[in-house]
Amino acid sequence: MTEKQKTSPSKKAVKPELDDAAPNAPAPEKPKETAPAPVMHGGIPAGPIRPLAPPRAPAKAEIFKEGDHVVYPTHGVGKVDKIAVEEIAGHKLELICITFDENRMTLRVPTNKARTAGLRKLTSKKSFDDVLAVLKGRARIKRTMWSRRAQEYEAKINSGDPSAIAEVVRDLHRNAGQPDQSFSERQIYESALDRLAAEYAALEQVDKPTAIEKLLGHLKSE
């Protein structure tokens, strides 16, 4: 048997889409890339990835000063410790240093990035009245898998929008403390309530437990 005859059987075993490939060339991977594979979101098959919430809108332009209570979307309420120019990697930047006492954390935000980062001052008392009205509303529970709803709730909490956070508290309050409430549901509810109470406490100049009690009072009065 000639060398050419020995190689002919293996040639027939090559997949059809590789017949046009050059001899000894690596198998092209382009066909695999063009076939879209299902994307998993929390264990749920889905199509192309879609954002769970619209992109966070930049905060309005504000001037911050030392001692201001501020809200950073992903960390909640903090206090401006100082605003100073520091040299980082050979560049001088004006930084807003924010302390979060509960987390024992300090965050430094460049002043020219504060707006796009969503850093804002506390909402006004008048605006917070609208937030309290949200708490008094009827819970709106979507008929979707919990994993999907949990992602949406987390996105609302991290948006920094007190009205969106109030929606999470309102929707999950009905099962708070109930035996059928899952661990993750309880965690998200407590996280939302804590975040909302922190801003309410700073706004009303009360401690957080008092703020939580007042917020729960609005929920019970619906």
Side-chain angles (χ1 to χ4, degrees):
M1 184 180 292
T2 66
E3 186 67 25
K4 186 174 182 180
Q5 288 176 323
K6 289 181 181 179
T7 56
S8 58
S10 60
K11 187 174 181 181
K12 292 181 180 180
V14 178
K15 292 183 179 180
E17 66 267 27
L18 302 182
D19 283 345
D20 296 332
N24 301 323
E29 297 184 1
K30 187 174 180 181
K32 296 181 181 179
E33 295 175 356
T34 56
V39 180
M40 303 299 291
H41 295 290
I44 304 174
I49 297 176
R50 297 179 181 178
L52 296 175
R56 183 172 64 238
K60 65 179 182 179
E62 293 182 296
I63 298 176
F64 302 98
K65 62 182 185 296
E66 293 182 12
D68 282 347
H69 281 94
V70 294
V71 178
Y72 191 82
T74 53
H75 296 298
V77 176
K79 190 174 183 179
V80 177
D81 183 47
K82 65 178 180 178
I83 300 176
V85 176
E86 296 184 22
E87 186 171 335
I88 299 177
H91 298 279
K92 290 186 177 181
L93 294 175
E94 186 179 53
L95 303 174
I96 304 171
C97 299
I98 308 164
T99 56
F100 299 86
D101 291 336
E102 288 191 4
N103 300 331
R104 296 182 180 180
M105 179 182 70
T106 298
L107 186 70
R108 297 185 297 173
V109 182
T111 54
N112 61 346
K113 298 292 184 181
R115 186 168 179 264
T116 54
L119 183 68
R120 65 173 175 83
K121 292 184 178 180
L122 297 177
T123 189
S124 66
K125 290 187 177 183
K126 184 177 180 180
S127 296
F128 211 89
D129 287 340
D130 295 333
V131 175
L132 298 177
V134 171
L135 292 177
K136 294 180 180 180
R138 179 175 296 178
R140 299 176 183 177
I141 308 298
K142 293 183 179 180
R143 294 180 178 277
T144 57
M145 295 289 289
W146 164 248
S147 57
R148 167 63 65 175
R149 286 191 289 126
Q151 288 179 317
E152 292 176 351
Y153 289 147
E154 291 282 7
K156 286 184 176 183
I157 293 173
N158 290 326
S159 72
D161 181 356
S163 293
I165 299 172
E167 290 175 1
V168 179
V169 175
R170 177 199 65 196
D171 293 349
L172 297 182
H173 176 69
R174 62 188 181 87
N175 282 341
Q178 299 299 318
D180 60 339
Q181 185 186 39
S182 68
F183 176 75
S184 60
E185 186 177 354
R186 183 169 66 254
Q187 274 192 319
I188 292 175
Y189 169 75
E190 291 176 352
S191 176
L193 181 59
D194 183 83
R195 186 71 63 86
L196 194 63
E199 184 164 2
Y200 193 37
L203 191 63
E204 295 291 329
Q205 297 184 351
V206 297
D207 58 24
K208 189 182 287 186
T210 300
I212 291 176
E213 187 177 349
K214 288 186 176 183
L215 291 176
L216 293 177
H218 283 280
L219 283 163
K220 294 176 182 177
S221 63
E222 65 176 279

